Amino acid sequence: MSILITGGAGYIGSHTCVELLSAGYDIVVIDNYSNSCNESLERVKKISGKEFSYYECDIRNKEGLDKIFKEHNIEAVIHFAGLKAVGESCQKPLEYYDNNIGGTIALVEVMRNNGCKKMVFSSSATVYGEENQVPFIETMKTGTTTNPYGTTKLYIENILKDIYAADNEWSIVLLRYFNPVGAHISGLIGEAPSFPNNLMPYISQVAVGKREFLSVFGNNYPTPDGTGVRDYIHVVDLALGHVKAIDFALPRTGVEIFNLGTGNGTSVLGLVKAFEEATGVPVPYKIVEPRAGDVAYSYANAQKALDILGWKAERDVTKMCEDTWRWQKNNPNGYNS
Ligand code: NAD
Ligand code: UFG
């Protein structure tokens, strides 16, 4: 029996592959490499010392997917595959709806046809929208999303809930990630964006000399230092959360939602300072205009994952910065270094 990992060559997927293999799971990976390459999977093999099959396959390719389901005994799917750039999703909404929502529908159809009804899905804290107050808790009503990317996450959550309502043989776990950062301690795998849209990759690219300075998006938010506060979570803790989620999903049916965050908030300037202290490398910055759609605060209530999954984030902000820096320094151009 294997777990199929869609989007497994990507940032969170590759770290999750390492932790699943180390927990003794057999895995099969598919990815269309639209935002990754198979080098990350070769490095997963190197870190884990284990073999597994991987395929270049788009989740919208039902024939290709069906073949993979027929070749392997797939017990459950961890579904990471998707496009994730907030800004780009505003320029290309159709591509985002087609890839993320259309892709999920194709995948779920092939799963059902092959009698596989267990899925762990990568959702996002973005579904809490602008209406809810921090700390975000799973029982809150979802809010209004501010971009097509966020809307795809909200719709997919609702689609998966409807699928369970119609057929309660399904077991679905919706994981709402907060802000994943950091890298595997080996420095072999990490986040490799061609352009850094998120704070931590931008900081590390400034530190390594690829960018001159960080633009801090606004310092007039109602937060202690005026900059946005987020719940940064080490990607290895996040990956371990997936192992717990799959352990939970396999013997059950139902739909459960879990926040995967630390429960702590760090401001933009707080993260810059932590990075400088952890690495000894200066990160010059300039305050610029706020970015459209940003909220002042986003952090989790992380109690449910602890109570039900027995999972808690263990790695602190210093460790997130150290591990990001090791990866960035050793791989200044990502997997092309
Ligand atoms: P990533 O881009 O590194 O990984 C996603 C992977 O999916 C990539 O390897 C990409 O090539 C692949 N992919 C995209 N469309 C595909 C398709 N149609 N068929 C097959 N493969 C496809 O991103 P990530 O940061 O690892 O994110 C993984 C998941 O977690 C995504 O669904 C993302 O939306 C979600 N998420 C990420 C964050 C974050 O900040 N990184 C936060 C919340 C949720
Ligand atoms: N920021 C800067 N400068 C930058 C980049 C970001 O000041 O160059 C600030 C932002 O304004 C924000 C904080 O750093 O205050 C974090 O921004 P990120 O872009 O790293 O993360 P977000 O919280 O905006 O977005 C993340 C994910 C999205 C997801 C969202 C809500 O990237 O996929 O959380 O869950 F939708």
Side-chain angles (χ1 to χ4, degrees):
M1 297 288 245
S2 300
I3 311 293
L4 178 71
I5 318 292
T6 74
Y11 172 47
I12 305 171
S14 55
H15 287 82
T16 302
C17 289
V18 169
E19 299 308 328
L20 287 165
L21 290 165
S22 143
Y25 282 104
D26 287 327
I27 62 169
V28 176
V29 173
I30 61 164
D31 204 298
N32 68 356
Y33 305 128
S34 57
N35 196 35
S36 57
C37 57
N38 70 353
E39 176 61 19
S40 62
L41 295 170
E42 289 301 321
R43 295 191 187 184
V44 168
K45 290 185 178 179
K46 195 167 167 189
I47 293 168
S48 65
K50 295 194 174 161
E51 274 303 315
F52 58 90
S53 303
Y54 61 79
Y55 300 89
E56 180 168 355
C57 179
D58 193 294
I59 53 169
R60 291 164 295 184
N61 173 1
K62 288 198 251 179
E63 266 180 34
L65 279 179
D66 191 64
K67 224 173 134 221
I68 292 164
F69 271 87
K70 298 263 174 329
E71 257 170 54
H72 298 271
N73 194 355
I74 309 283
E75 196 179 7
V77 176
I78 305 184
H79 178 29
F80 293 105
L83 299 173
K84 64 161 185 176
V86 170
E88 185 187 57
S89 79
C90 299
Q91 310 305 319
K92 299 179 174 174
L94 197 54
E95 281 79 359
Y96 271 67
Y97 289 125
D98 175 46
N99 192 83
N100 294 5
I101 300 180
T104 301
I105 291 172
L107 171 66
V108 168
E109 210 179 306
V110 175
M111 287 175 67
R112 184 189 59 186
N113 293 347
N114 284 278
C116 174
K117 296 185 177 179
K118 295 177 190 299
M119 175 183 275
V120 173
F121 172 64
S122 301
S123 189
S124 165
T126 196
V127 302
Y128 288 108
E130 294 182 304
E131 299 87 340
N132 288 302
Q133 297 295 310
V134 286
F136 298 137
I137 184 160
E138 294 87 345
T139 46
M140 285 171 169
K141 269 187 138 176
T142 49
T144 311
T145 52
T146 53
N147 56 77
Y149 163 73
T151 307
T152 68
K153 293 295 172 193
L154 189 58
Y155 283 8
I156 294 169
E157 282 201 1
N158 290 335
I159 290 168
L160 294 175
K161 286 178 193 165
D162 285 346
I163 287 170
Y164 172 74
D167 174 359
N168 53 30
E169 286 179 5
W170 279 84
S171 176
I172 291 166
V173 176
L174 307 174
L175 298 178
R176 293 179 179 162
Y177 310 157
F178 282 72
N179 290 57
V181 296
H184 191 263
I185 191 165
S186 62
L188 286 173
I189 55 173
E191 191 171 14
S194 42
F195 182 85
N197 292 303
N198 298 113
L199 181 60
M200 185 66 111
Y202 210 105
I203 289 178
S204 64
Q205 291 201 7
V206 171
V208 83
K210 288 182 78 173
R211 319 227 165 237
E212 208 183 326
F213 61 89
L214 168 75
S215 298
V216 173
F217 299 145
N219 65 350
N220 273 321
Y221 286 103
T223 60
D225 66 15
T227 64
V229 168
R230 296 291 181 274
D231 186 340
Y232 297 98
I233 172 173
H234 196 295
V235 67
V236 172
D237 280 324
L238 191 65
L240 289 167
H242 289 73
V243 177
K244 295 285 190 184
I246 206 80
D247 291 345
F248 174 84
L250 286 179
R252 284 184 184 72
T253 58
V255 182
E256 283 294 340
I257 303 175
F258 296 100
N259 285 339
L260 293 184
T262 64
N264 304 315
T266 304
S267 70
V268 177
L269 293 180
L271 193 65
V272 169
K273 190 161 171 271
F275 190 94
E276 291 182 329
E277 283 175 5
T279 63
V281 183
V283 179
Y285 66 84
K286 289 185 188 167
I287 309 288
V288 302
E289 286 301 297
R291 184 172 66 178
D294 275 354
V295 292
Y297 281 101
S298 168
Y299 58 87
N301 174 316
Q303 195 60 39
K304 184 177 174 189
L306 177 61
D307 291 345
I308 297 181
L309 300 179
W311 173 89
K312 189 173 180 291
E314 305 284 354
R315 291 158 180 79
D316 64 11
V317 170
T318 300
K319 177 92 179 116
M320 299 177 206
C321 295
E322 287 168 356
D323 290 344
T324 300
W325 183 230
R326 186 179 307 103
W327 154 254
Q328 178 71 75
K329 211 173 32 178
N330 295 348
N331 308 269
N333 295 311
Y335 292 105
N336 298 322
S337 298

